């Protein structure tokens, strides 16, 4: 008899990592969601969200990233039963740490296990991306790939995903205490349709060196490759004090600093990350914004049963 329920842990992630908009993602250690997913005889999907910030997360399955994934599974693989999913939020929502992606990836992993679906990595990522489509209006798969597979991921067209085992290094994420309704949609709406060739060349160079840095285990090169001339300048306006916070990170020893995913958090790599994080938090404070600092590292593990 197949299992009726499963408990899954799914890590947070940083998408884009500077130059790799909608392509790069890295899973984060010690920050993640826990999902309990149960198959039930009643059709449909019931979503229950728990945790201090549960109130800000929709439980309507069409607009909840985990609910949308499970509904997609019912629609495409099995419509005779239903799912109940209880999400214990560990990833702060709305901060650019892949909160919806972690829940979506956890739900996809759970459904794959419960229904014994034989999916390739790309098919699993495509399933998880249904959750991002529900909440962000675009099925980008950088966060969900990282949460699902762990490590450093590069996702291309048609969810063709490449995963690399990252070296271990310290990462600091500083999350300002600001909240935007439909933040990812807003952050995406700020982006231009056309970009300058010289800026595209810059990003291709940074992204190529970043992928090489991960493959070679060169943490300094990784830090120096955190540079983005396409997205960051547009999204900076969403984040009070952005340029000063970034400068504070670099002045206090970080090798690179940029926006974490769709923001408003910033992440930095290099130097003493506790010191860097303190300087960033102080710069936010000078801009009149409180913040929360997360000291973390890459997670080589993605979503898994616990
Ligand atoms: N790549 C996405 C973005 C990540 O930056 O819009 C946020 O979901």
């Amino acid at each position: 008899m197949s299992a009726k329920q499963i408990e899954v842990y799914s890590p947070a992630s940083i998408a884009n990592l500077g130059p790799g908009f909608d392509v790069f993602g890295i899973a984060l250690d010690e920050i993640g969601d826990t999902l309990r997913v149960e198959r039930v005889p009643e059709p449909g999907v019931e979503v229950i969200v728990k945790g201090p910030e549960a109130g800000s997360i929709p439980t309507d399955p069409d607009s909840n990233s985990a609910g949308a994934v499970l509904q997609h599974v019912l629609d495409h693989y099995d419509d005779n039963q239903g799912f109940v999913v209880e999400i214990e939020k560990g990833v702060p929502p709305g901060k650019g740490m892949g909160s919806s992606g972690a829940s979506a990836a956890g739900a996809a992993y759970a459904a794959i296990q419960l229904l014994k679906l034989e999916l390739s990595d790309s098919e699993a990522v495509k399933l998880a991306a249904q959750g991002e489509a529900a909440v962000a209006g675009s099925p980008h798969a950088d966060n969900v790939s990282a949460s699902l597979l762990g490590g450093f991921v590069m996702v291309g067209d048609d969810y063709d995903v490449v995963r690399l085992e990252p070296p271990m290094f310290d990462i600091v994420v500083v999350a300002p205490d600001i909240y935007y309704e439909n933040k990812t949609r807003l952050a995406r709406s700020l982006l231009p349709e056309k970009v300058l060739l010289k800026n595209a060349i810059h990003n291709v160079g940074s992204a190529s060196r970043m992928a090489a840095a991960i493959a070679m285990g060169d943490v300094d090169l990784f830090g120096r490759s955190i540079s983005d001339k396409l997205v960051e300048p547009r999204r900076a306006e969403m984040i009070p004090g952005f340029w000063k916070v970034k400068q504070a990170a670099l002045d206090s020893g970080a090798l690179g600093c940029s926006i974490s995913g769709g923001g408003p958090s910033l992440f930095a790599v290099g130097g003493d990350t506790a010191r860097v994080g303190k300087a960033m938090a102080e710069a936010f404070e000078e801009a009149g914004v409180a913040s929360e600092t997360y000291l973390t590292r890459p997670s080589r593990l993605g979503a898994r049963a616990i």
Side-chain angles (χ1 to χ4, degrees):
M1 209 175 78
S2 57
K4 286 253 188 300
Q5 63 178 29
I6 186 169
E7 189 165 341
V8 170
Y9 178 81
S10 184
S13 64
I14 296 174
N16 306 334
L17 293 158
F21 177 69
D22 275 1
V23 174
F24 288 171
I26 199 161
L28 298 179
D29 204 21
E30 291 189 9
I31 311 167
D33 287 351
T34 303
L35 293 86
R36 278 171 287 279
V37 182
E38 187 182 0
R39 296 273 281 148
V40 292
E42 301 76 32
V45 178
E46 184 186 347
V47 180
I48 301 159
V49 185
K50 295 190 166 172
E53 292 176 82
S56 67
I57 296 172
T59 52
D60 167 13
D62 290 337
S63 37
N64 177 281
S65 64
V69 168
L70 296 173
Q71 188 59 56
H72 184 87
V73 169
L74 294 179
D75 293 344
H76 290 82
Y77 296 100
D78 178 348
D79 60 359
N80 293 324
Q81 295 195 49
F83 287 109
V84 176
V85 55
E86 187 180 300
I87 307 166
E88 190 79 45
K89 283 304 293 177
V91 185
K95 298 299 182 198
M97 295 163 74
S99 170
S100 57
S103 293
Y109 180 89
I112 289 167
Q113 299 302 316
L114 289 174
L115 273 68
K116 298 195 188 324
L117 302 176
E118 289 184 10
L119 302 187
S120 66
D121 282 352
S122 292
E123 289 165 337
V125 164
K126 184 175 179 183
L127 171 59
Q130 304 307 315
E132 287 289 33
V135 299
S138 113
H140 58 276
D142 41 7
N143 287 114
V144 293
S145 300
S147 290
L148 193 59
L149 305 177
F152 177 87
V153 296
M154 297 168 276
V155 59
D157 290 349
D158 298 324
Y159 306 99
D160 189 359
V161 66
V162 175
R163 178 194 178 281
L164 292 174
E165 191 84 345
M168 275 301 129
F169 54 92
D170 292 331
I171 302 172
V172 61
V173 183
V174 182
D177 190 10
I178 52 176
Y179 177 77
Y180 291 105
E181 193 83 26
N182 290 323
K183 188 261 310 175
T184 305
R185 281 178 207 260
L186 169 69
R188 296 180 81 80
S189 74
L190 298 174
L191 303 181
E193 280 198 9
K194 295 182 179 173
V195 298
L196 289 177
L197 180 62
K198 65 176 184 182
N199 291 339
I201 292 168
H202 174 88
N203 271 44
V204 170
S206 300
S208 308
R209 284 179 293 120
M210 180 171 279
I214 291 285
M216 296 187 302
D218 186 335
V219 175
D220 278 15
L221 179 60
F222 180 87
R224 286 187 276 117
S225 308
I226 301 171
S227 180
D228 165 33
K229 291 195 175 176
L230 297 178
V231 173
E232 183 183 279
R234 300 298 185 113
R235 288 183 171 172
E237 66 188 66
M238 284 176 68
I239 305 169
F242 172 81
W243 296 108
K244 287 191 172 155
V245 176
K246 176 168 168 146
Q247 197 55 49
L250 299 174
D251 289 347
S252 58
L255 290 167
C257 171
S258 190
I259 300 171
S260 179
S265 300
L266 275 73
F267 76 100
V269 171
D272 171 349
T273 45
R275 183 162 169 258
V276 169
K278 190 162 175 281
M280 293 167 74
E282 282 167 5
F284 265 131
E285 209 174 308
E286 277 167 29
V289 187
S291 63
E292 184 127 0
T293 299
Y294 299 84
L295 296 171
T296 180
R297 291 156 80 78
S299 168
R300 290 180 174 153
L301 296 176
R304 65 241 188 214
I306 51 172

